[in-house]
Amino acid sequence: MPYTLVPTRAGGYAPLESDWDTYIRDNLNSGWAKIAETNPNGSTAALTVSSIPSTFRHLRVVWYARTREAGTALSSISVRLNGDATAGNYDRQFIQGSGATMSAAEILGLNQIAQIPGLNAPSGLYGIGYMEIPHYSQATNQKAMNIFYAAKYGAASGNIVTASVAAFWRSAAAVTGIDLVSSGFIEIGSRISVYGLS
Amino acid sequence: MGYTVVPDKAAGDVFTAAMWNTYIAANINTGLVVQLADITLAAVAATITFSSIPQLFSHLMLVGYTRGDQAATNNSVLAQFNGDTGANYDIQYLLGSGGVGSASEALGQTRFQVGQEPAATGTAGHFAAWSTYIPHYRQSDNQKAAFSSWSGKWSNASGQMQSGIISGFWRNAAAITQITLFASAGNLNTGSRVTLYGMP
């Protein structure tokens, strides 16, 4: 249901049920809504959102995250839709820029989708990104993910990376759960928010 | 005016016009991203068009899930503003496919590209995911710019995926009241869907 402009009301106006239905219910149900948000406590390797309602048209997942993966300043995160941890069910294509270097790569059968700072990165640096999943709630046709991320993992030149990632799940199932999984525990202060787009 | 946090109310509080105007009218009209239109094709169609776009928001966003019917593995998803079919669009894009990254500029085009989608000879069930932002769309003071990113896959074989970002510039300062989407050849296929959002 598309949006309807809400009129202002004069003093003394008594709202009607039709006001509720048209201007409040239908409008609120036609917008973006936050479905879930998780703030890990540093003892889990995954940011998880489950029981995603099927009432929206598209999903947007936004993250602000860092890991405790030892031995690295730049860590990877992978996606699991509906708990599907089989890497062979995902394909990825990205373009990336770091410094003055642009690169592209394709990997079939991999569910790694983004990079975020790891334990060796200076404190206070968190990576950002978002992932859109159009058509997520339908059980027809394979699911595609449109992803952008950026991470700064040091103060030196060449320590910033930004990328656009195309990711594909070889399944037509409706998406009901999303895990973003790291090789190390997700750092305190990380956050993942999931929005439903009507 | 942006969003105003809605306070809790106690039992017995009187609902006033001021509350309606501040917490409902103003918040919904100027504080929330709302869907303006959603089009899903039940049959192949030459275009998906959003017309009479309300001139109420700061920015627009399109979210697309599309496939073409051209006898090819893939084709481009294109857009025109306000029915302008003239050579008034300039684009710059970055693209990755396999291990190859490329950049390209095209000046004086007759349309703006928002993505690349699988087409008829691509594997069945594959659709492209893309989104486009159009800031400042309703102002008539300066030329319009748009940014789009897409994910496209034509088959499970190597070299059959694309990730791309594209910047587009319309040599026109007019407010955008219409957006027309179409494939570079053939039609948009059944099941293609595009949703338009207004961003306050």
Side-chain angles (χ1 to χ4, degrees):
Chain A
M1 173 81 59
Y3 161 78
T4 302
L5 180 67
V6 183
T8 54
R9 298 301 188 194
Y13 180 83
L16 308 172
E17 181 180 349
S18 58
D19 287 325
W20 176 273
D21 291 345
T22 301
Y23 301 123
I24 299 175
R25 181 197 66 191
D26 291 349
N27 273 340
L28 290 177
N29 289 342
S30 80
W32 291 23
K34 187 166 76 174
I35 295 172
E37 185 169 89
T38 65
N39 304 86
N41 59 9
S43 63
T44 175
L47 297 168
T48 297
V49 178
S50 57
S51 302
I52 296 174
S54 61
T55 49
F56 300 95
R57 287 176 171 77
H58 318 296
L59 287 182
R60 170 172 275 217
V61 180
V62 180
W63 64 84
Y64 176 81
R66 173 189 178 103
T67 83
R68 294 180 176 177
E69 182 182 2
T72 183
L74 192 61
S75 189
S76 299
I77 53 174
S78 301
V79 66
R80 296 177 186 169
L81 301 181
N82 296 4
D84 182 0
T86 302
N89 291 336
Y90 300 86
D91 303 302
R92 187 195 77 175
Q93 168 72 55
F94 75 81
I95 51 174
Q96 174 177 290
S98 183
T101 301
M102 178 189 166
S103 60
E106 164 201 276
I107 302 181
L108 304 179
L110 180 71
N111 57 341
Q112 178 183 311
I113 61 164
Q115 295 176 298
I116 54 178
L119 186 63
N120 290 2
S123 64
L125 294 181
Y126 282 66
I128 61 171
Y130 69 78
M131 173 172 68
E132 288 176 348
I133 312 176
H135 192 73
Y136 81 100
S137 61
Q138 302 303 310
T140 57
N141 302 312
Q142 295 188 14
K143 300 305 175 287
M145 294 161 271
N146 202 19
I147 299 161
F148 161 82
Y149 73 85
K152 178 181 176 182
Y153 53 99
S157 175
N159 286 171
I160 301 174
V161 61
T162 184
S164 174
V165 180
F168 304 90
W169 186 35
R170 299 188 192 187
S171 171
V175 176
T176 58
I178 300 172
D179 297 294
L180 297 183
V181 184
S182 166
S183 297
F185 289 156
I186 306 291
E187 183 61 85
I188 295 171
S190 299
R191 164 182 289 178
I192 175 176
S193 307
V194 180
Y195 301 91
L197 281 59
S198 294
Chain B
M1 176 182 297
Y3 176 78
T4 301
V5 175
V6 181
D8 292 335
K9 292 297 181 184
D13 279 355
V14 176
F15 186 77
T16 66
M19 290 164 59
W20 172 276
N21 292 337
T22 299
Y23 301 122
I24 298 174
N27 270 347
I28 292 175
N29 290 340
T30 67
L32 299 180
V33 177
V34 292
Q35 183 216 117
L36 300 181
D38 177 68
I39 298 175
T40 301
L41 296 182
V44 299
T47 63
I48 288 177
T49 298
F50 299 98
S51 56
S52 302
I53 295 173
Q55 301 294 291
L56 301 171
F57 303 93
S58 296
H59 319 297
L60 295 177
M61 176 183 176
L62 293 160
V63 177
Y65 181 77
T66 61
R67 180 184 175 97
D69 77 345
Q70 179 193 5
T73 59
N74 66 94
N75 62 19
S76 300
V77 187
L78 307 174
Q80 290 170 332
F81 300 140
N82 294 7
D84 182 2
T85 60
N88 297 318
Y89 304 84
D90 304 308
I91 60 176
Q92 169 71 54
Y93 71 78
L94 297 176
L95 169 66
S97 184
V100 179
S102 61
S104 182
E105 165 197 91
L107 304 178
Q109 301 296 292
T110 59
R111 72 299 179 279
F112 167 58
Q113 181 179 355
V114 298
Q116 196 77 6
E117 62 182 6
T121 59
T123 302
H126 287 178
F127 279 65
W130 54 266
S131 62
T132 303
Y133 289 87
I134 310 172
H136 196 72
Y137 78 102
R138 68 181 174 93
Q139 302 304 321
S140 57
D141 48 356
N142 296 303
Q143 295 188 10
K144 301 302 175 286
F147 169 81
S148 190
S149 66
W150 75 85
S151 301
K153 179 182 179 184
W154 339 133
S155 79
N156 291 337
S158 175
Q160 297 291 294
M161 294 186 288
Q162 270 190 12
S163 176
I165 55 176
I166 188 165
S167 303
F169 304 89
W170 187 34
R171 300 181 188 181
N172 195 315
I176 294 174
T177 60
Q178 178 178 300
I179 301 171
T180 304
L181 301 157
F182 54 101
S184 53
N187 303 296
L188 295 169
N189 217 331
T190 305
S192 294
R193 155 183 265 173
V194 184
T195 312
L196 176 67
Y197 298 94
M199 308 178 73

